Amino acid sequence: MKKISFSLNGEQRFVYITPNEILLDVLRYKMGTKSPKCGCDTGDCGACTILLNGKAVRSCLIFAVEVESQDIVTLEGISRDGLTPLQKALIEHNAFQCGYCAPGMILSATELINSNPHPGEEEIKEAISGNLCRCTGYQPVIDAIKHATKKH
Amino acid sequence: MEKLKYVGQSSVRIDGKEKVSGAALFTDDLEFGPDLLYAEIVEGPHAHAMINSIDTSEAENIPEVLCVVTGKDFPYNFGLYMKDRFIFAQDRVRFFGEQIAAVVARTPEAAKKAAKLVRVNYSPLPKVLSPVDAVKKDADLIHPDLKHYEHVPWFFPKPDSNIAHHRKIRKGDVEKGFAEADYVLDDTYEVPRYAHCAIEYHAAVAKYDHSGRLTVWASSQSPHTQRNLFASALAPMGITHNDVRVIAPHVGGGFGSKAGVTMEIIAAAIATKVKGHPVKVLWNREREFYNTYQRLGVTANLKVGVKKDGRITALHHELYWDAGAYVEYGANVVNAVGLSAIGPYRVDNASIDSYCVYTNLPPGGPYRGFGYSEFLFGLESHMERIARHLGIDPVEIRRRNAIKAGDLTAYGARMNPNGLQQAIDAVEKEIRWEKKLVSKDPDIAIGKGFSLFWKAPAMPPNTSSSCFLKFNEDASVNLLVSGMDIGQGFLTVMAQIAAEVLSVPVFKIRTENPDTDRNPYEWQTVASHVTWGCGNAVKLAAVDARNQILALVSRTHYFPVETLFLEDEQVKCMTRPDFSLPLKDFVIAGIQMEDGTFKGGPIIGRGVFMPEYASTKANPETSQGGHPNVHYTVGAAAAIIEIDRRTGKVKVKKIVEAVDCGKAINPDLVKGQITGGILQGISTVLYEEMKFDHRAKMLNPNFTDYKIPTSLDLPDEVVPIIIEVPEPDGPYGARGMGEHTMIPVAPMIANAIEDALGIRIRSMPITSEKICLAILDRQKND
C-alpha cells in the first residue's frame, strides 16, 4: 500500500492505495465521493468526469497513484458554496431526466465555461460530446448551458 | 372547463436540485459498511449446452471466499408472465453468458479470482439462432419442459415446440377483403435486436438478516413486482411477502431494462446463503448488453390490400419474434403486438399471427415501445409504398385510413377518443409537407418522410396503483407512491396533481422513490401508464384528504360543507368571503373548540385506482371479446433528411412530432420525452447494431463498438407538438406518452430515404453501408 495525498474539493486528503487502483474507485469507495459515476469503465461514457487541475478528465482511465499532490474537483466541490449559475440554469430548463450523467456533464461544461465564458452552440456540443446521455436528446442540456453563458 | 393552477404548468422538476448538485444517490452510491460482501458471476461459454458437472472446490479454497452457489442451491423457476427462468442455469445453458454460478467473497478481487476457478463441464447442443429456423418441425427444443411452465391465462404456448406464445387475431373476412382490393402489397421486414443502454448499470444489494428479513436495494422500475417475484421464487425456503422489502434509490435510466426481475434475484438468492451480510451484485457494461433484457428482434411478413383511393380492405400481419432464451417478460411484447399490429388504422378485415419464438440468444424483454417500434417499421414503410404505387399523397393515405374514436380495434373493442387527425394536420403543416426541397449540391439528396404511431399500455387487466398522502405541520405534504422516477419526471407530475387538488404549491410536496414497506402498492413503472394510473390514485388520495379537511371545518365552524373550498393553502367559504383558515393551523394539530377540546387530527388521504373495465378474457382463436388494452395514445411525425450520395451518410435536418397525451400535466416534461425519444429512435435506425459471432457471443457489448448518439449527432431542429384530446378516465384527461416518442422514427427515416433516393430499405438499421450498397445495386440494374 502506498500513501498518496492530493487536494479533493479544496481539502487536503490522503489515502492508502495499491498502484493498480483506479481513481474513480478510490474516490467512490475509499473517499466517499459519490458524484463521479461509472457507466462503462472504458472511457466511453464520461459519467466519471472530474476536474484534474481544472481540466475535465475521465477518472476511470486514471490510476489513483497519478494524482499525488494534484488538485481534484468533483460535483460535490462545485456545489459546496451553493449552486452555480450553470446548475441553476440546468434546473430551470429541466435539463436532466435520470440525472446519472449529470455530474460528468456539469464538470465538462464547467471546464468549458471557465476557459470560454460565452461559448457558441457548436463549442457547447463539442465540450459535452464525451458525456453520453440516453434520456434527454442533449438539447435541453445545451439550451441550459447557452442560457447560463449568454452575454448580458 | 375548470381553471387549473398547477396542472398544465411547466414546473421545474422536484428532483432537479438533487440531480444537479450531486446529492442524488443511486444504488451503488449507498454505503453498506465493512461487512459488505461481493458476488461475481460465472458465465456459460456456450449458447446451448447441457451442464454435466460443476466443480467449485478450487474456488472455495481462495482466501476471503465465503461460498460458491450454483443452480442446485436454487432449483426454482420464476418469471413475470411465464415461469421459464432460473436464478442460475439448472441442467442446461440457453444463451452465451448465462449465469451458472456465483462466488461470494470479502472483496471484489477475491470473488473475480475465484470465479475463474469454477470448473464447469458441458456437452454442447445444436443452437437455434433465428426464429424462422426455430419454428421448423425438426428444430431442437430449447425448453423441452415448456408444457409444464406456469403462465398467465392469456398466453398460448405450443407444447413440444419453440413457440412460447401465439397471439392470433381474426377479425372480419380477410379473404373477402383481399379479393375486393385493387392493389395488394406483400413484403417482409426485418428488425434486429437492440440494447437499452441506460448509463447506470443494474445494481442490487441484498441482506438476509438473522431475523429472517430479506431487504433488497435495487436499481429498479418495479419494486413491488420484484418483491412479489422474490417472495414467490424463494417461497420454498420459507420466505414470504412479509419478509421481503425492496428499497429503490434513484435509477440511472431504465427504458424497460430495469422492469420485472433480471439480475436482482441473484442478489436476493445469494443473500440467503450468507445470512447477516449485505451482498452486492453489480453488473458491468458488457453484461448490461447481454444479460439483462434485449429488445426482441422480429421478422414480419405483411400483406395489405387497398382500394384505388387507398382505403385498406384487408391486412395480414405475421410476426416471428426472436424472443431469446427466456421469454417470461418478452412474451407479453409479442402479445401486445399481436393485439395491435393493424397500427393506428381502421381495418375491418384483419388477421394477425404473432409468434413468440425461443432462440439461443439473450432473453428478449421490455424496451421502450414494447414491440410497437418494431412492427410499425414494416407497417409505416408499407403505407408509404402503397401511397407511392397508387399516386396518393403519403399523408393523405394515412388521413383516409386513420382510426377514429368509436372504430373497432383489432380485438373488437371501441377506440378511445383521440387526436390523430389533429396530429396529422399539425405535423403536415409544420414540416411544410407540400414543399419539395432540392439541394444545390448535386451530391446531396433531400427527402421527407412521414409516419403515424400508436401504442397502448400492455398490462394485466388488474394492474393497480395506489397512494398515501400525509400532511405535515406547515401544510407541506408527503406523497407516498410506488411508481419510479426513472427520469421521465413522474414524481414531479404526481406532485402537480396533488398540488392542484389541495391548492398547495408544488415545491411544498415531497415525493420520493419507494420502499415497499412504507409506500403503497404499484404494479410497475412500465407501459407509459403511471401518469394515468398512479396519477388517478394520487388525485383520489388528494380528494380524500380534501374531503376530510372540508368535513372537519364544516363540523367545527358550522358551514355547510358544500360552501367550503381550498385556495392558496387555506380553507375558504363561498358564502363568507371574510373567512379563511390556513391549512397549517390544523392539518396536524386539529381545530380547537370553545370548550378547549380539539377536533380532527393528522390529515391522511388514500387513493386506489384499477381499470375495472379491462379484461383479457377472449376467444383465443380470434382474440375477440375482451378489453385487453385500456386505451391507445396516438400521434404523427415527419422528418427532413439529407443524404450524401457518395458516402450514404444521413443527416437529420428537422423532425416534427405531435403526440396526443390527453392533457400535458407538465408540457416541458412532455417535450423532454419527445426530444429524448426521437434521438433514441434515430439511434436505432441509423447507428446501433449488435454483432454476434458463430458461437452467438455478442461481439460489441461496449460503447466503443455499439454506438449511441453524442451531442454531435443531433437533428438540426426538433419541433414537439402537444395535442390534448382528453382521456375520459385519465387524471385531468392525461394519458401516457413516454415510450411513444421514439416509435415513428425508424419508419419515417426509411420513408425519407426512399423519398430522397428512390431506394427502399426493409431491414434495420439503415447504415450508410446499406444505403451505398442499395445505390450501387440500383445503378447495376439500371
Side-chain angles (χ1 to χ4, degrees):
Chain A
M1 287 293 221
K2 178 180 164 59
K3 181 179 172 182
I4 59 165
S5 68
F6 54 92
S7 167
L8 176 58
N9 295 326
E11 184 188 350
Q12 202 60 33
R13 300 277 301 270
F14 68 86
V15 63
Y16 289 90
I17 55 154
T18 55
N20 61 349
E21 280 187 82
I22 300 295
L23 179 59
L24 174 63
D25 295 339
V26 171
L27 289 174
R28 286 179 54 79
Y29 302 126
K30 286 194 165 170
M31 309 191 83
T33 308
K34 304 288 185 160
S35 78
K37 310 292 185 212
C38 182
C40 68
D41 247 339
T42 49
D44 291 308
C45 80
C48 66
T49 303
I50 56 158
L51 294 182
L52 177 60
N53 305 323
K55 295 287 178 203
V57 298
R58 290 156 172 27
S59 60
C60 77
L61 295 181
I62 296 174
F63 288 116
V65 71
E66 296 177 78
V67 303
E68 168 68 40
S69 307
Q70 306 201 44
D71 180 58
I72 288 176
V73 175
T74 66
L75 187 56
E76 286 88 345
I78 301 278
S79 308
R80 204 178 35 189
D81 302 320
L83 300 179
T84 62
L86 170 64
Q87 287 170 306
K88 287 178 188 160
L90 289 162
I91 293 175
E92 287 301 317
H93 282 77
N94 285 321
F96 292 111
Q97 291 186 23
C98 82
Y100 197 76
C101 70
M105 195 80 86
I106 293 170
L107 289 175
S108 292
T110 300
E111 183 202 26
L112 169 72
I113 296 168
N114 287 346
S115 63
N116 180 1
H118 307 295
E121 177 145 344
E122 290 311 309
E123 291 169 310
I124 293 170
K125 285 183 180 175
E126 190 65 46
I128 61 167
S129 64
N131 295 88
L132 294 179
C133 168
R134 190 61 153 172
C135 300
T136 65
Y138 301 100
Q139 198 59 50
V141 179
I142 296 165
D143 292 344
I145 298 172
K146 256 200 305 205
H147 183 83
T149 57
K150 71 177 177 218
K151 287 186 181 139
H152 293 287
Chain B
M1 192 78 185
E2 62 187 314
K3 201 169 170 310
L4 301 173
K5 190 169 176 185
Y6 299 107
V7 162
Q9 300 299 312
S10 287
S11 311
V12 298
R13 299 177 63 108
I14 60 173
D15 55 358
K17 196 170 178 182
E18 244 184 301
K19 286 176 175 173
V20 304
S21 67
L25 294 179
F26 298 79
T27 300
D28 191 43
D29 297 338
L30 304 180
E31 292 286 354
F32 294 92
D35 199 27
L36 177 65
L37 305 177
Y38 300 84
E40 181 61 28
I41 305 302
V42 179
E43 301 177 335
H46 297 281
H48 199 192
M50 297 306 292
I51 299 171
N52 301 323
S53 63
I54 304 177
D55 179 0
T56 60
S57 55
E58 213 177 329
E60 281 161 356
N61 286 331
I62 296 295
E64 298 193 297
V65 167
L66 277 81
C67 67
V68 182
V69 296
T70 70
K72 282 203 174 65
D73 294 295
F74 309 104
Y76 318 129
N77 298 48
F78 76 95
L80 185 63
Y81 293 107
M82 171 182 271
K83 292 189 177 178
D84 71 349
R85 205 160 179 175
F86 309 92
I87 300 169
F88 293 98
Q90 300 290 306
D91 57 339
R92 77 166 75 200
V93 287
R94 295 180 172 86
F95 69 97
F96 197 106
E98 183 170 2
Q99 66 273 16
I100 310 296
V103 176
V104 186
R106 282 276 166 201
T107 65
E109 295 75 26
K112 281 193 175 79
K113 186 176 173 189
K116 290 185 184 135
L117 300 172
V118 174
R119 310 289 178 202
V120 188
N121 183 273
Y122 300 94
S123 296
L125 295 167
K127 36 185 192 297
V128 186
L129 300 180
S130 97
V132 177
D133 291 340
V135 298
K136 286 180 183 158
K137 278 211 163 58
D138 57 344
D140 291 281
L141 294 184
I142 297 171
H143 285 265
D145 289 337
L146 173 60
K147 55 179 168 288
H148 302 302
Y149 294 153
E150 272 180 59
H151 58 80
V152 291
W154 70 86
F155 279 5
F156 306 103
K158 286 193 171 172
D160 303 314
S161 82
N162 286 318
I163 297 175
H165 176 41
H166 176 193
R167 171 54 60 187
K168 209 189 263 192
I169 290 273
R170 298 292 180 266
K171 180 193 178 198
D173 187 336
V174 176
E175 272 182 41
K176 188 163 155 270
F178 280 120
E180 284 168 7
D182 295 319
Y183 174 62
V184 175
L185 180 63
D186 191 350
D187 212 339
T188 299
Y189 298 88
E190 299 271 358
V191 180
R193 292 168 161 256
Y194 287 96
H196 305 75
C197 299
I199 309 297
E200 181 206 23
Y201 304 154
H202 281 64
V205 179
K207 183 177 178 178
Y208 188 54
D209 72 18
H210 291 295
S211 75
R213 190 85 235 256
L214 178 62
T215 306
V216 182
W217 294 260
S219 179
S220 171
Q221 295 179 233
S222 316
H224 278 85
T225 283
Q226 294 191 334
R227 183 184 68 173
N228 185 29
L229 266 60
F230 297 159
S232 310
L234 302 175
M237 307 178 78
I239 290 170
T240 67
H241 284 80
N242 194 30
D243 295 327
V244 182
R245 175 181 184 189
V246 177
I247 298 174
H250 283 289
V251 174
F255 313 108
S257 71
K258 291 165 183 165
V261 168
T262 58
M263 55 74 80
E264 303 83 9
I265 201 165
I266 296 174
I270 291 174
T272 64
K273 301 295 179 193
V274 283
K275 215 169 175 181
H277 303 275
V279 55
K280 182 188 284 189
V281 182
L282 181 59
W283 247 213
N284 56 28
R285 181 50 58 194
E286 295 194 356
R287 287 191 187 127
E288 281 301 308
F289 276 97
Y290 63 73
N291 194 359
T292 59
Y293 291 121
Q294 293 182 348
R295 194 170 106 174
L296 286 69
V298 70
T299 301
N301 303 324
L302 176 60
K303 185 177 169 188
V304 175
V306 291
K307 300 297 281 184
K308 280 197 186 92
D309 65 358
R311 283 181 207 279
I312 298 170
T313 59
L315 174 148
H316 176 63
H317 215 157
E318 195 176 73
L319 303 111
Y320 293 91
W321 293 89
D322 163 16
Y326 301 99
V327 305
E328 45 91 22
Y329 205 145
N332 209 44
V333 173
V334 175
N335 191 69
V337 171
L339 293 168
S340 300
I342 56 168
Y345 296 111
R346 183 189 158 146
V347 183
D348 294 332
N349 306 302
S351 60
I352 301 170
D353 289 287
S354 189
Y355 296 99
C356 178
V357 186
Y358 283 121
T359 58
N360 290 118
L361 287 165
Y367 177 114
R368 188 182 200 170
F370 215 67
Y372 287 71
S373 297
E374 295 88 307
F375 86 78
L376 277 162
F377 174 70
L379 182 57
E380 283 299 284
S381 295
H382 226 62
M383 292 303 286
E384 189 89 6
R385 294 169 67 187
I386 290 170
R388 285 175 188 279
H389 178 86
L390 296 175
I392 300 174
D393 181 87
V395 175
E396 189 50 35
I397 197 171
R398 291 178 167 96
R399 189 180 277 120
R400 283 180 196 166
N401 287 292
I403 197 162
K404 295 188 174 69
D407 285 346
L408 293 180
T409 59
Y411 46 84
R414 299 273 169 201
M415 178 64 185
N416 52 285
N418 69 84
L420 187 53
Q421 294 287 347
Q422 292 98 306
I424 295 171
D425 295 347
V427 171
E428 184 186 37
K429 187 166 171 234
E430 173 62 34
I431 203 84
R432 299 187 64 192
W433 182 254
E434 75 297 339
K435 193 171 186 295
K436 181 77 187 158
L437 299 172
V438 181
S439 172
K440 286 177 191 142
D441 182 345
D443 288 325
I444 300 294
I446 301 181
K448 283 183 181 172
F450 206 92
S451 176
L452 303 188
F453 58 95
W454 82 339
K455 185 188 174 293
M459 329 181 287
N462 59 342
T463 293
S464 59
S465 302
S466 50
C467 173
F468 293 147
L469 182 156
K470 60 195 181 83
F471 271 98
N472 302 313
E473 288 84 343
D474 60 352
S476 65
V477 171
N478 287 87
L479 208 53
L480 280 79
V481 290
S482 290
M484 288 298 303
D485 204 311
I486 54 174
Q488 80 285 50
F490 159 74
L491 292 174
T492 304
V493 164
M494 294 304 109
Q496 286 179 261
I497 290 172
E500 188 63 53
V501 175
L502 299 171
S503 206
V504 168
V506 175
F507 71 85
K508 287 188 78 172
I509 297 177
R510 187 173 284 279
T511 176
E512 296 181 340
N513 288 328
D515 165 342
T516 57
D517 261 19
R518 313 281 155 85
N519 296 41
Y521 182 82
E522 167 64 53
W523 173 58
Q524 303 190 84
T525 299
V526 298
S528 303
H529 88 107
V530 287
T531 294
W532 166 80
C534 197
N536 273 323
V538 167
K539 192 175 177 198
L540 289 166
V543 167
D544 182 27
R546 182 179 67 191
N547 289 345
Q548 292 172 40
I549 290 167
L550 301 185
L552 174 64
V553 175
S554 169
R555 184 154 68 100
T556 55
H557 289 69
Y558 311 108
F559 298 127
V561 72
E562 61 275 11
T563 65
L564 296 171
F565 63 99
L566 298 179
E567 191 176 80
D568 298 334
E569 303 177 74
Q570 301 168 76
V571 180
K572 294 190 175 176
C573 180
M574 289 174 211
T575 55
R576 286 280 305 278
D578 57 322
F579 172 78
S580 74
L581 186 62
L583 293 177
K584 67 179 166 50
D585 288 1
F586 68 91
V587 285
I588 292 290
I591 296 175
Q592 191 167 29
M593 307 301 285
E594 277 181 12
D595 66 357
T597 61
F598 284 81
K599 307 295 176 201
I603 301 292
I604 298 173
R606 75 175 271 279
V608 171
F609 176 73
M610 183 188 274
E612 294 189 344
Y613 51 88
S615 166
T616 53
K617 221 169 170 181
N619 180 344
E621 293 304 315
T622 63
S623 298
Q624 303 301 310
H627 197 312
N629 289 336
V630 289
H631 56 251
Y632 287 88
T633 296
V634 299
I640 300 173
I641 62 164
E642 283 182 1
I643 308 174
D644 188 321
R645 296 177 200 272
R646 297 161 300 183
T647 61
K649 194 170 164 58
V650 175
K651 168 75 191 159
V652 181
K653 302 299 285 180
K654 178 170 180 171
I655 289 187
V656 180
E657 183 173 298
V659 58
D660 178 12
C661 56
K663 172 73 190 173
I665 308 280
N666 185 320
D668 202 35
L669 297 184
V670 170
K671 289 174 185 169
Q673 288 303 300
I674 295 176
T675 313
I678 284 174
L679 193 62
Q680 196 170 355
I682 289 174
S683 190
T684 57
V685 64
L686 295 180
Y687 305 134
E688 297 175 37
E689 187 167 23
M690 277 186 190
K691 302 279 189 188
F692 293 90
D693 72 5
H694 64 283
R695 297 169 297 168
K697 178 185 198 284
M698 190 178 167
L699 288 172
N700 56 340
N702 59 69
F703 288 145
T704 313
D705 302 314
Y706 184 96
K707 296 286 185 198
I708 66 170
T710 74
S711 54
L712 301 175
D713 302 312
L714 308 187
D716 287 352
E717 188 186 4
V718 172
V719 182
I721 297 173
I722 294 170
I723 308 282
E724 294 181 315
V725 174
E727 185 58 39
D729 74 345
Y732 300 97
R735 65 174 85 78
M737 52 72 62
E739 293 168 273
H740 306 72
T741 56
M742 76 176 283
I743 295 174
V745 179
M748 80 182 170
I749 297 287
N751 293 340
I753 290 169
E754 183 173 37
D755 185 46
L757 297 174
I759 55 174
R760 169 56 58 180
I761 295 176
R762 291 169 297 122
S763 66
M764 287 173 62
I766 305 182
T767 56
S768 301
E769 183 187 13
K770 226 182 247 181
I771 292 171
C772 283
L773 289 171
I775 293 172
L776 289 173
D777 201 38
R778 197 185 46 183
Q779 285 168 354
K780 215 163 44 187
N781 293 334
D782 279 351

